[in-house]
Amino acid sequence: MKYTKSEKYNTAELQSKIMGPNPVKLEEELLIDNKIPKGAVVCDLGSGQGLTSVFLAKEYDFTVYAADLWSNPEENQAFFDKMGVPRDKLIPVKADATDLPFEKEFFDAVISVDSYNYFGRDEKYLDEKLLPFIKKGGYIYVSIPGMKKDCHDNLPKELLLSWTPEQLAYMRDVNYWKNLVSKSKGAEVLTVEEMESNDEVWADWLKQDNEYAIGDRKSMEAGGGKYLNFIKIVLRKI
């Protein structure tokens, strides 16, 4: 696909902030024809160093709470200021996804790129830990790394060049996620599907000069990418 909104974020300085396959491009694909109204209050859940949060605020006119447990809110705020985003449009918050510090029904939507697979595999998480913070009729948009077909019983040697079985446990296939979110009593499942983005977002990540990207190159250069994909999940609170 053509990433028309993402191109301006494809600079070396901004790309150095990514923490995995290009999350801005993933977010752009995730939000094609999205149903979230402009001006909505959204949570960027697992926002990392805030690049996806800037993208949401500037390109979609959302008011964004950048929620992440591992990043520094002061550093993110300095980055947001540098990017010219008004402070009332983009708010950094140190937050655990399993214990969110917001009022109930605070958000019109939650958007999560490359993080939901770490905490959302608990089948109670969606109904008990996330949906209470979303308004009735509000949306959840998720993009996560996955597998084309679950192969945990016989993991390919190419994948084990970069990742342990424990790390690969976070990556599942479309059927796994469809079955999991369908158990929710509070959310309507609108779609669970494979995304188009894979090769290009991985290529952007593997160019980065940090230890994690360098470590991931071993599997990808050996052809491990043929087993992997990204998965789009869209839910609506009933």
Side-chain angles (χ1 to χ4, degrees), residues 5-184:
K5 293 180 183 292
S6 305
E7 283 307 310
K8 69 188 78 170
Y9 299 84
N10 204 26
T11 67
E13 180 182 6
L14 294 180
Q15 288 295 298
S16 70
K17 286 188 161 290
I18 68 176
M19 301 168 72
N22 194 327
V24 179
K25 288 180 177 176
L26 287 168
E27 195 162 68
E28 182 171 357
E29 181 182 351
L30 177 65
L31 294 178
I32 291 174
D33 298 326
N34 77 83
K35 307 299 183 185
I36 307 169
K38 286 190 175 182
V41 177
V42 307
C43 177
D44 183 5
L45 186 60
S47 57
Q49 296 187 61
L51 185 58
T52 52
S53 306
V54 170
F55 187 68
L56 292 172
K58 295 188 75 163
E59 305 301 323
Y60 297 89
D61 195 28
F62 298 147
T63 295
V64 181
Y65 285 77
D68 193 89
L69 181 59
W70 305 110
S71 61
N72 184 305
E74 290 75 22
E75 290 177 1
N76 279 358
Q77 185 63 69
F79 172 56
F80 300 159
D81 291 343
K82 183 178 179 180
M83 293 297 291
V85 185
R87 289 195 170 197
D88 62 348
K89 289 288 291 181
L90 181 49
I91 303 96
V93 180
K94 194 173 187 67
D96 185 336
T98 65
D99 188 21
L100 293 172
F102 303 106
E103 297 292 327
K104 298 296 174 64
E105 299 188 354
F106 185 74
F107 295 109
D108 297 295
V110 169
I111 299 167
S112 184
V113 175
D114 197 12
S115 63
Y116 190 86
N117 49 316
Y118 292 111
F119 44 79
R121 291 187 302 127
D122 178 350
E123 64 179 60
K124 295 180 180 180
Y125 175 77
L126 182 56
D127 283 347
E128 295 182 5
K129 302 294 187 179
L130 186 56
L131 284 174
F133 299 97
I134 302 171
K135 296 173 184 175
K136 184 176 181 180
Y139 292 92
I140 299 172
Y141 280 81
V142 170
S143 171
I144 44 175
M147 291 183 170
K148 291 183 178 294
K149 186 176 180 181
D150 198 313
C151 55
H152 288 88
D153 291 338
N154 185 23
L155 287 167
K157 63 182 184 300
E158 297 96 322
L159 296 181
L160 293 171
L161 292 172
S162 292
W163 304 294
T164 66
E166 291 74 22
Q167 289 171 317
L168 290 166
Y170 294 105
M171 301 171 74
R172 300 284 173 166
D173 63 10
V174 165
N175 286 334
Y176 171 91
W177 286 105
K178 191 175 293 185
N179 291 335
L180 182 64
V181 297
S182 294
K183 294 177 182 178
S184 172

